[in-house]
């Protein structure tokens, strides 16, 4: 029986997620942060002071200092595949619930960790507040009321804000001249033509991120969804257009396979409400009169009336994560057991030479020279383990043992230096 208050340990405590989570726990009597695990102990102490104190919190530099018998729930938010996997695996082995915030670990070893948790009789869930869990909760609601899902996904992390008065387009502080967008602010009759024109105008901006692909691969684990195309569509879209854009191709939209995960770049004017990296589901409608009534109340219904967009324009990071802790402790989660319907694989974005070592870098956890791709499980799995497509984040710290041509998938046999335990967890999970 978990005691009250629930004792929570947090890895990656110094990061942005850590701050949002810890600040919220100060308002929740039923939970307390006890062990804050991060190599930057001084930084954690500064964070505690900035928050006005956390009376039960102790900064912990690393694994060897963790007091496992004083933890009820581990929130894994380190973002580091090897270290984070080991924290989660040991917590589960010791009978501790795990909230997985590190999507990189989830995409590699989530299936294996969830299976181990079930065997130990403890809970394992992706954390509310990040897009995967939020989208899965939205999907659960949508399907429980009996709606048929055609597409599901999220907006990119940063909006495209276009000012028609100046012709300037801004994305997270980067500004480009984009006056040509004035002619494409509204969706024309030919959706593909409008989207192509917009994409051409915004081409100087980097819109796709490895983090986006990783998050949608995590959704695939739990939702059984696949990607319509391995790099996803990434249309530049105004939120009011989503039901038209994500319609089936036969109806003039871009979706070729139902239950496709995707990401769009949210286009808005200055002063318009942001989509805020939120999540959406595109559903088919039923009774025309019902959906005409709903459209009149401001809901997003396609011009044809055949599709609707249901969306949550938010993801509040650690502010929402206490919901996951409650679900674990109370056993109330309705998420399905994760399975690899797809694999977040790695395709060479340029010619790669034997001896190259890969490193995950930057805010969006990119790997230079390698593109993340969401491929169907059947295209990743082979008879021999060594020839399996390598999970994208298995490349972290690994070294190539042969030359790889541009466009080629990287296989497990192509890598040296992959941690044995993480490699085994991936292989076991993808073969389930």
């Amino acid at each position: 029986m978990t005691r009250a208050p629930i004792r929570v340990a947090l890895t990656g405590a110094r990061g942005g997620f850590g701050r949002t989570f810890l600040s919220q726990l100060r308002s929740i009597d039923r939970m307390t942060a006890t062990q804050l695990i991060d190599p930057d102990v001084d930084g954690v102490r500064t964070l505690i002071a900035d928050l006005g104190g956390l009376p039960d919190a102790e900064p912990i530099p690393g694994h060897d200092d963790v007091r496992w018998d004083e933890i009820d729930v581990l929130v894994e938010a380190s973002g580091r595949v090897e270290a984070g996997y080991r924290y989660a695996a040991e917590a589960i082995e010791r009978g501790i619930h795990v909230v997985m915030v590190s999507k990189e670990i989830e995409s590699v070893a989530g299936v294996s960790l969830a299976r181990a948790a079930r065997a130990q009789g403890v809970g394992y869930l992706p954390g509310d507040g990040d897009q995967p869990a939020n989208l899965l909760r939205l999907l659960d609601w949508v399907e429980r009321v009996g709606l048929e899902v055609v597409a599901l996904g999220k907006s990119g992390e940063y909006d495209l804000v276009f000012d028609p008065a100046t012709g300037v387009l801004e994305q997270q502080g980067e500004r480009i001249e984009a006056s040509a967008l004035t002619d494409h602010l509204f969706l024309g009759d030919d959706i593909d033509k409008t989207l192509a024109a917009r994409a051409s105008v915004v081409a100087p901006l980097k819109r796709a991120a490895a983090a986006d692909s990783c998050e949608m691969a995590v959704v695939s684990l739990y939702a059984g969804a696949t990607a319509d195309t391995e790099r996803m569509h990434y249309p530049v879209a105004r939120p009011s257009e989503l039901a038209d854009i994500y319609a089936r191709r036969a109806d003039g939209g871009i979706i070729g396979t139902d239950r496709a995960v995707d990401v769009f770049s949210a286009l808005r004017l200055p002063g318009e409400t942001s989509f805020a990296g939120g999540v959406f589901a595109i559903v088919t409608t039923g009774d025309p009169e019902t959906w005409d009534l709903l459209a009149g109340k401001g809901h997003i219904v396609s011009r044809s009336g055949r599709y609707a967009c249901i969306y949550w324009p938010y993801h509040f990071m650690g502010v929402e994560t206490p919901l996951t802790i409650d679900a674990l402790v109370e056993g109330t989660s309705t998420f399905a057991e994760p399975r690899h319907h797809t694999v977040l694989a790695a395709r060479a974005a340029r010619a790669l030479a034997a001896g190259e070592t890969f490193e995950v870098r930057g805010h969006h956890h990119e790997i230079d020279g390698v593109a993340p791709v969401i491929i169907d499980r059947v295209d990743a799995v082979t008879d021999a383990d060594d020839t399996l497509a390598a999970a994208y984040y298995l490349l972290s710290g690994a070294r190539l043992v042969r030359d790889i041509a541009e466009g080629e998938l990287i296989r497990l046999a192509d890598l040296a230096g992959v941690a044995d335990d993480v490699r085994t967890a991936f292989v076991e999970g993808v073969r389930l």
Side-chain angles (χ1 to χ4, degrees):
M1 170 98 45
T2 300
R3 68 166 216 166
I6 301 164
R7 301 167 297 176
V8 180
L10 169 67
T11 66
R14 188 67 181 94
F17 169 83
R19 185 178 186 114
T20 61
F21 176 61
L22 294 172
S23 68
Q24 200 62 27
L25 282 194
R26 295 169 68 245
S27 304
I28 301 176
D29 293 337
R30 66 186 181 277
M31 301 173 192
T32 185
T34 55
Q35 300 175 62
L36 306 182
I37 305 161
D38 196 295
D40 184 5
V41 170
D42 289 340
V44 174
R45 290 196 179 103
T46 299
L47 172 60
I48 292 172
D50 287 348
L51 292 173
L54 295 166
D56 298 322
E58 180 182 351
I60 302 288
H63 182 279
D64 294 341
D65 303 286
V66 177
R67 298 186 303 280
W68 295 101
D69 60 346
E70 299 176 14
I71 302 171
D72 300 313
V73 178
L74 173 73
V75 178
E76 169 31 57
S78 70
R80 296 179 293 132
V81 173
E82 287 185 32
Y85 170 76
R86 289 167 188 162
Y87 282 122
E90 183 158 356
I92 289 168
E93 185 179 348
R94 291 174 179 268
I96 297 167
H97 302 299
V98 172
V99 176
M100 182 55 69
V101 176
S102 299
K103 53 188 171 287
E104 302 85 0
I105 299 166
E106 184 88 84
S107 70
V108 173
V111 173
S112 176
L113 288 169
R115 187 186 192 196
R118 185 176 70 251
Q120 286 292 98
V122 296
Y124 173 91
L125 287 173
D128 281 289
D130 218 353
Q131 290 99 327
N134 286 21
L135 180 52
L136 290 166
R137 284 197 293 112
L138 174 61
L139 179 65
D140 180 67
W141 181 92
V142 165
E143 295 190 321
R144 279 175 177 266
V145 300
L147 294 167
E148 180 186 21
V149 175
V150 175
L152 61 158
K154 55 165 246 177
S155 74
E157 215 56 34
Y158 307 116
D159 292 352
L160 299 171
V161 184
F162 176 61
D163 186 349
T166 64
V168 172
L169 179 72
E170 181 176 352
Q171 178 185 252
Q172 190 64 8
E174 185 175 358
R175 298 158 64 90
I176 64 170
E177 200 289 319
S179 55
L181 269 181
T182 304
D183 296 330
H184 308 292
L185 276 179
F186 300 97
L187 203 61
D189 292 334
D190 188 332
I191 290 175
D192 287 337
K193 184 177 179 180
T194 299
L195 296 182
R198 290 175 179 174
S200 177
V201 175
V202 307
L205 298 173
K206 184 181 185 300
R207 299 185 290 118
D212 293 338
S213 295
C214 187
E215 287 166 349
M216 292 302 97
V218 170
V219 170
S220 172
L221 294 178
Y222 292 88
T226 58
D228 211 31
T229 178
E230 67 178 26
R231 296 300 305 275
M232 297 187 290
H233 291 291
Y234 276 98
V236 176
R238 305 183 76 174
S240 60
E241 303 167 343
L242 293 178
D244 290 287
I245 290 172
Y246 284 110
R248 296 177 177 123
R249 289 177 191 163
D251 292 323
I254 65 173
I255 294 299
T257 305
D258 278 5
R259 293 178 66 82
V261 292
D262 208 72
V263 176
F264 78 98
S265 296
L267 175 64
R268 64 179 175 87
L269 305 183
E272 288 185 338
T273 301
S274 171
F275 206 83
V279 297
F280 69 88
I282 307 300
V283 301
T284 55
T285 58
D287 174 49
E289 188 169 334
T290 294
W291 288 94
D292 186 57
L293 185 154
L294 292 172
K297 292 180 178 292
H299 294 287
I300 299 176
V301 177
S302 68
R303 294 176 296 197
S304 69
R306 297 175 184 169
Y307 300 89
C309 174
I310 301 169
Y311 66 101
W312 292 347
Y314 64 84
H315 71 297
F316 286 111
M317 298 178 68
V319 173
E320 298 180 73
T321 308
L323 297 173
T324 318
I325 294 174
D326 282 337
L328 286 173
V329 172
E330 297 167 6
T332 56
S333 171
T334 57
F335 286 1
E337 191 76 15
R339 289 287 184 271
H340 272 288
H341 308 280
T342 60
V343 170
L344 182 67
R347 194 177 293 284
R350 56 172 171 79
L352 301 170
E356 287 200 43
T357 299
F358 300 111
E359 181 181 354
V360 177
R361 297 178 178 172
H363 175 68
H364 291 297
H365 292 191
E366 312 272 1
I367 301 174
D368 182 53
V370 183
V373 292
I374 302 174
I375 62 174
D376 287 354
R377 177 187 175 277
V378 294
D379 296 321
V381 175
T382 58
D383 291 336
D385 288 351
D386 278 352
T387 54
L388 291 174
Y392 182 79
Y393 285 108
L394 273 182
L395 273 63
S396 178
R399 176 174 52 83
L400 268 184
V401 298
R402 71 176 182 91
D403 294 344
I404 302 287
E406 181 178 353
E408 189 177 352
L409 275 180
I410 297 174
R411 306 276 173 181
L412 287 178
D414 301 327
L415 301 172
V418 177
D420 288 341
D421 54 350
V422 182
R423 182 186 189 277
T424 298
F426 169 67
V427 171
E428 288 180 350
V430 83
R431 288 203 177 283
L432 285 177

